[in-house]
Amino acid sequence: MPLKRAREWSLEEAAGAPYDLQELAGPFLAGRAMVAYRSLSEGWLTGGAVHALTLAKNGVPQFMALDIPEAPQVQAALDALGEANSTLSEAALDPKGRPGIRDYHAAYVSGAASPVQVAEAIIGFVSREQGAANWLSDFDPEHLRAQAAASAARYAAGAPLSVLDGVPFAVKDAVDAFPLRTGHGTSFLGDMDGPVADVALEAPCVAALRSLGAVCVGKTQMQEFGLLPTGLNPRLGLTRNPHHLSRIAGGSSGGSACVVAAGVCAFAIGTDGGGSVRIPASLCGVVGLKPTQGRMASDAGTCALITLGPLATSVGDAMIVYAAMACPGSCALSPLKPAAAPGIGEGSGLAAARTAEQAQAEVDAAAAAVKAAAAAPFPEAAMGEDAATRPPLVLPRRLLAEGVDGSSQDALSAAQPLAGLRVGVFKPWFDDSEPAVAEAARGGMGLLSRLGAEVVAITLPELEQLRVASSCIILTEMFGTTRSVYEDPQLRPQLNEDSRIMLSLASRLLASHYTQGLRVRRRQSHHWARAFESCDVIATPGTAAVAHEIAQGAGDSGFMHLPSTAKLLRYSIQANVLGLPALVVPVGAVQEGGARLPTSLQLIGRPWQEATLMRVGAVLEAALAAGGGGAPPPALRMPNPLSKPEAGSP
């Protein structure tokens, strides 16, 4: 019997739908057990039975039996909020003492610090702590020094390129950045492909940041191919949470979250296909933004659910980076190719800078690349919009309204800065997390209410169908991009055990699994659109658990435990499947095993309405800072690089 069309559900039917999201089922795998299970999963005789059992335990046969009646359609972009020409506003300073973007700029302008001083502080910290923390995958100190020297020369001449000039940032190993290697978390692809050979070939968002003077520190560690959310990568060394080195950092953008949380970089770039920005941001206590699908540039060879996003110490910094990354021409599949940018393509002659002059040439080439991308024909976005229907980038007029006193929670509450805002909560889903995590998230919701927001009850039907659809879509697409590696008899043994298990499972999925996932995606768009009729944003915890311990044996063979994975993914995959923007903001800490571990609140918005998320997140952040709340300071962090160096230091 076919399901009733989602668009035909009445409000009463939707409100009465049960909460049906199930736990993932699977064995606890680490060490020898991981190797044995991988052998069974890849076996000619045993693989089919192993994966059939996994799929059956996790509801895939029932999912495939659904008769879903919706007809194909293209979802139109919703109107953006506000005016196109908005101005950046002041944001709350990070309460953990880590410098933000505007702190760096102010220090450089005043002469209190220099980009060269900051670069040397970073180099010193990485040389001391990289072995323990293992956050960076490709790091070239001399290239960092050259970029810093070029920025210092611009400040000395009174001509910084922007507020981002000289500000250190890092890039996930899945994103191309000149002149670094892109290994996608593997131990071999970066060496096989070699460094990105030209500025014209790096990701448009990186070129945009470079053209504004930002200083690229290096590439950050990630879980191999982004296949799991723990962030563990035994072949490259375990990425450890700066709040407690025995804990996971989350993934797959774990290294990016770590360098921001520890104050090595003011911000970092990650990618998010199922929570890969928001999960590590939540576990490491920083802000993470997943934009609307189609707003940022993406690689034509990657999964359609993946989008680029910033991780930062504050919502204000995330907004600045978001504005810089979403430059004209950087939407969806970037048209920028060497042939499209005369003078900066093949044969440009740029090599890894070793002097300030060479680094300045990189900046100039990046500016030309951004200009060429902006002039190229607008590509079609992943959601089907073209240049005429995609809303322009919109930012809040101000994160905190003019005249609002943010010095105390009482003053903010009196101003009611969120009056008129409706925050939707599906209570059974919201509460389906570890008790301490749910309590911290409820504290954040209480604060939103005191700031003027109205908390409204909503229902989101068939979340279990959406979970299975997400798995079918992303595993099928990820296998398509990694198949040549997995099926190469020379390369497969070089993959991590957990990656081989996931790709072996993905190889068993059929085109019918993928198309059924797309049917559910279309059906769910109606359920969520109906929910957004009652609210402006939807709130959940960032993850259903804090960062768990790194399992014994994970350093040798990795770690895989689907019930733990489900807790990390519980609130993140929905925004990816539906293409929605989502923001995580640290709201507190949970005491566990002698460690104070961060926890976050997630805000999910309508398509293209990142401005609403950033305004709400910034007000919440300011109130938390005024009350001494938010994430705790990490145990391992870099000393403030803007402070004067001690005598005898570089």
Side-chain angles (χ1 to χ4, degrees):
M1 180 177 178
L3 296 169
K4 183 177 180 180
R5 292 179 183 270
R7 71 184 67 182
E8 295 172 355
W9 284 38
S10 67
L11 291 175
E12 292 75 14
E13 286 176 306
Y19 175 63
D20 61 355
L21 191 59
Q22 303 295 311
E23 293 284 354
L24 286 173
F28 183 96
L29 299 174
R32 293 180 179 177
M34 173 78 83
V35 177
Y37 189 88
R38 187 267 303 159
S39 296
L40 290 172
S41 71
E42 292 182 341
W44 180 69
L45 292 175
T46 57
V50 168
H51 293 308
L53 180 61
T54 300
L55 295 174
K57 284 187 174 182
N58 289 287
V60 175
Q62 299 92 319
F63 172 79
M64 292 303 296
L66 295 173
D67 186 352
I68 300 172
E70 269 81 16
Q73 61 179 320
V74 174
Q75 181 179 354
L78 302 177
D79 292 335
L81 293 173
E83 298 177 2
N85 297 321
S86 302
T87 58
L88 298 176
S89 61
E90 292 297 312
L93 289 177
D94 176 60
K96 307 301 171 293
R98 298 166 294 199
I101 291 171
R102 288 164 295 112
D103 298 319
Y104 280 103
H105 184 65
Y108 297 158
V109 169
S110 68
S114 76
V116 172
Q117 172 188 327
V118 169
E120 293 301 332
I122 294 170
I123 292 168
F125 180 80
V126 170
S127 66
R128 295 191 305 271
E129 302 292 349
Q130 173 71 355
N134 202 51
W135 300 330
L136 294 169
S137 62
D138 197 349
F139 177 63
D140 183 345
E142 294 308 313
H143 185 239
L144 175 57
R145 287 187 171 109
Q147 293 176 84
S151 177
R154 293 191 291 270
Y155 276 100
L161 295 173
S162 74
V163 70
L164 287 162
D165 205 335
V167 178
F169 76 103
V171 181
K172 183 179 179 177
D173 190 31
V175 181
D176 289 336
F178 173 81
L180 305 171
R181 291 172 170 80
T182 304
H184 297 277
T186 69
S187 60
F188 54 88
L189 283 180
D191 291 334
M192 289 174 58
D193 296 339
V196 174
D198 199 284
V199 172
L201 300 176
E202 70 180 356
C205 65
V206 180
L209 293 165
R210 188 193 301 276
S211 73
L212 296 171
V215 172
C216 183
V217 170
K219 301 296 283 292
T220 57
Q221 291 277 31
M222 61 174 287
Q223 190 139 20
E224 200 167 56
F225 293 131
L227 289 168
L228 286 167
T230 64
L232 298 177
N233 193 328
R235 288 186 184 271
L236 298 180
L238 302 181
T239 302
R240 299 176 180 272
N241 194 312
H243 289 270
H244 202 287
L245 295 181
S246 70
R247 302 277 175 154
I248 65 168
S252 60
S253 307
S256 290
C258 289
V259 295
V260 175
V264 178
C265 297
F267 64 93
I269 296 173
T271 63
D272 194 313
S276 289
V277 163
R278 292 160 290 148
I279 291 169
S282 295
L283 300 188
C284 294
V286 299
V287 172
L289 173 66
K290 176 221 169 290
T292 305
Q293 184 67 25
R295 174 60 76 191
M296 298 294 180
S298 61
D299 185 338
T302 61
C303 172
L305 303 189
I306 295 175
T307 185
L308 291 151
L311 300 95
T313 58
S314 70
V315 176
D317 278 6
M319 182 177 67
I320 294 171
V321 179
Y322 165 74
M325 289 171 64
C327 61
S330 71
C331 292
L333 309 182
S334 173
L336 182 59
K337 301 294 180 187
I344 63 167
E346 296 178 356
S348 66
L350 289 180
R354 291 295 182 265
T355 67
E357 291 76 14
Q358 292 170 344
Q360 185 61 50
E362 289 182 7
V363 173
D364 295 340
V370 173
K371 183 177 180 180
F378 231 107
E380 182 179 350
M383 295 175 66
E385 299 85 9
D386 57 22
T389 60
R390 183 189 289 109
L393 178 71
V394 176
L395 300 174
R397 286 180 177 273
R398 294 185 66 87
L399 290 180
L400 290 179
E402 190 171 1
V404 171
D405 181 2
S407 62
S408 69
Q409 285 190 0
D410 288 342
L412 280 167
S413 297
Q416 295 286 280
L418 298 182
L421 180 85
R422 300 167 300 167
V423 182
V425 172
F426 183 26
K427 192 174 187 303
W429 187 34
F430 190 98
D431 292 340
D432 191 14
S433 58
E434 294 182 350
V437 171
E439 184 63 28
R442 282 192 290 269
M445 291 300 300
L447 193 50
L448 289 178
S449 183
R450 291 196 295 277
L451 295 167
E454 178 188 1
V455 179
V456 299
I458 61 171
T459 302
L460 295 168
E462 303 171 344
L463 286 176
E464 174 66 5
Q465 293 182 17
L466 183 54
R467 179 193 66 78
V468 183
S470 170
S471 298
C472 290
I473 293 171
I474 196 165
L475 283 176
T476 301
E477 293 196 352
M478 290 298 288
F479 185 71
T481 63
T482 59
R483 183 171 187 167
S484 61
V485 173
Y486 181 70
E487 295 184 346
D488 188 316
Q490 302 299 317
L491 298 180
R492 184 193 293 187
Q494 299 182 57
L495 295 172
N496 291 322
E497 299 289 339
D498 52 8
S499 300
R500 292 177 66 174
I501 291 172
M502 294 302 295
L503 291 174
S504 176
L505 173 62
S507 71
R508 303 279 175 167
L509 296 178
L510 306 173
S512 57
H513 290 98
Y514 184 73
T515 55
Q516 183 79 329
L518 296 181
R519 292 188 188 102
V520 168
R521 178 186 189 182
R522 186 169 60 247
R523 178 180 179 84
Q524 280 286 321
S525 69
H526 294 291
H527 291 322
W528 284 66
R530 184 181 294 107
F532 277 120
E533 292 175 4
S534 303
C535 63
D536 303 298
V537 299
I538 294 171
T540 73
T543 57
V546 294
H548 60 69
E549 292 273 0
I550 297 174
Q552 186 175 2
D556 298 323
S557 58
F559 166 80
M560 187 172 175
H561 185 226
L562 291 182
S564 298
T565 297
K567 290 183 178 181
L568 298 179
L569 295 170
R570 181 157 299 150
Y571 303 112
S572 60
I573 57 175
Q574 298 77 16
N576 294 97
V577 176
L578 299 172
L580 302 173
L583 176 76
V584 293
V585 179
V587 293
V590 171
Q591 188 73 32
E592 184 176 294
R596 283 180 57 76
L597 302 169
T599 187
S600 294
L601 187 71
Q602 177 178 234
L603 304 169
I604 305 172
R606 298 186 181 103
W608 312 112
Q609 296 193 9
E610 288 86 348
T612 299
L613 299 182
M614 289 184 285
R615 181 174 69 88
V616 178
V619 171
L620 174 62
E621 181 182 69
L624 287 163
L636 177 59
R637 59 186 183 276
M638 190 175 83
N640 190 334
L642 299 182
S643 60
K644 292 185 178 180
E646 297 179 1
S649 62

